[in-house]
């Protein structure tokens, strides 16, 4: 009898220990799991870890007619799908899982088209909210000039919370554009609106910028709004020839996007990657083609630029220059997983 009680006590003792260990283990697992963070695609949320190999800046359709005349009547979705789908299947074969579609509203964003293409191709597509204020405001709707930054931000926040135009499709980042020159009033306003919207939603700001002068002005505005530079992608940074300024921005936490890759850029893009490696900044670097562009103004959408040059020319060059498979994976998978993860990034 005595032995039996002893055994029971021992059994309980160990069960409690095992339970505690398991709980602790579970707690650890859930608290430091980056997979918990999400990315928003046109077919819904996915864990950030499922982004896979990614082209972070491409366009499937762009309509240059201007904000006052564009609309979904300008193209036939089935015709666009017929033309564009093979290009998505092509990159799927090359191992890509995600394509980030960087066309803002009023210049050809079409969430339903993107969803059709995503479902048919199996490629995860991410769309955006925000306005394109470059090219003299041609792609800014009338209300963009009269409303305040807060009012514009509220429109974008509403898309993040309620979906885009009743489609049930949600944006996964904020896309804006400024002039490749010192910021004008309308440029400032969209940057301010992007900061407000970032703080309310945790969506990353991708800004068509180009040169260092507007880039540093944008970083200043981020600071004024208490937004950390890591919430910001300096898009078209490859237009800036002073790489020192780019490296300094990356050191602050800014994401650097060299995004208009084509074969003739192989040397400059791969040299830039080497510089970022030397500076310990490969975890701030993004590469893409800025390609595609079904153009509804042209018969059959015009000439569509495919998304394969990185695979054909850039990745072999990166390997040749000594980047490891792990470092290349950092650029095309880990960085996109980090940059598009929904997270409010506040300045310390
Ligand atoms: Zn673009």
């Amino acid at each position: 009898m005595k032995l039996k009680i002893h055994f029971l006590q021992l059994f309980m003792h160990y069960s409690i220990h095992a339970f505690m260990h398991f709980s602790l283990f579970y707690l650890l697992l859930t608290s430091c799991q980056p997979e918990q963070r999400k990315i928003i695609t046109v077919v819904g949320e996915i864990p950030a870890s499922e982004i896979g190999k990614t082209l972070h800046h491409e366009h499937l359709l762009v309509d240059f007619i201007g904000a006052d005349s564009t609309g979904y009547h300008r193209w036939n979705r089935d015709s666009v799908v017929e033309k564009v789908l093979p290009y998505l299947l092509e990159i799927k074969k090359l191992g890509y899982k995600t394509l980030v579609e960087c066309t803002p509203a009023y210049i050809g964003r079409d969430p339903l088209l993107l969803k059709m293409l995503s479902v048919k191709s199996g490629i995860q597509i991410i769309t955006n909210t925000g306005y394109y204020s470059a090219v003299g405001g041609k792609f800014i709707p009338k209300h963009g000039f009269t409303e305040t930054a807060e009012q514009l931000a509220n429109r974008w926040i509403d898309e993040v919370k309620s979906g885009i135009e009743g489609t049930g499709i949600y944006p996964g980042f904020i896309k804006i554009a400024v002039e490749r020159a010192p910021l004008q009033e309308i440029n400032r306003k969209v940057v301010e609106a992007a900061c407000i919207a970032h703080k309310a939603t945790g969506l990353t700001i991708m800004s068509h910028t180009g040169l260092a002068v507007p880039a540093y002005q944008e970083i200043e505005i981020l600071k004024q709004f208490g937004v950390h530079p890591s919430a910001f992608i300096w898009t078209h940074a490859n237009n800036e020839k002073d790489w020192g300024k780019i490296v300094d921005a990356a050191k602050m936490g800014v994401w650097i996007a060299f995004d208009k890759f084509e074969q003739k850029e192989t040397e400059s893009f791969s040299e830039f990657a080497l510089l970022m490696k030397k500076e310990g900044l490969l975890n701030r670097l993004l590469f893409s083609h800025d390609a595609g562009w079904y153009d509804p103004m042209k018969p059959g959408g015009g000439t569509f630029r495919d998304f394969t040059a990185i695979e054909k020319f850039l990745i072999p060059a990166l390997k040749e220059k000594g980047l490891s498979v792990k470092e290349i994976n950092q650029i095309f998978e880990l960085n996109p997983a980090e940059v598009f993860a929904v997270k409010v990034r506040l300045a310390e």
Side-chain angles (χ1 to χ4, degrees), residues 57-59 102-103 132 175 208 235-236 259-260 290-291 293:
H57 186 137
E58 310 296 345
H59 298 271
C102 298
T103 314
Y132 189 99
K175 174 75 191 286
H208 163 113
T235 284
H236 309 318
D259 42 47
K260 211 166 181 100
D290 195 10
W293 308 44

Side-chain angles (χ1 to χ4, degrees), residues 15 46 59 135 151 158 165 169 227 254 270 299 327 332 340:
S15 310
I46 57 165
H59 298 271
V135 199
Q151 286 171 311
D158 186 57
E165 300 157 357
I169 298 167
V227 176
V254 169
S270 52
E327 287 166 331
F332 293 100
F340 293 107

Side-chain angles (χ1 to χ4, degrees), residues 82-97:
E82 200 185 320
K83 170 120 180 188
V84 174
L85 184 59
Y87 296 98
L88 294 176
L89 296 174
E90 188 175 31
I91 56 167
K92 193 180 173 193
K93 253 191 207 156
L94 296 174
Y96 289 90
K97 270 186 84 180

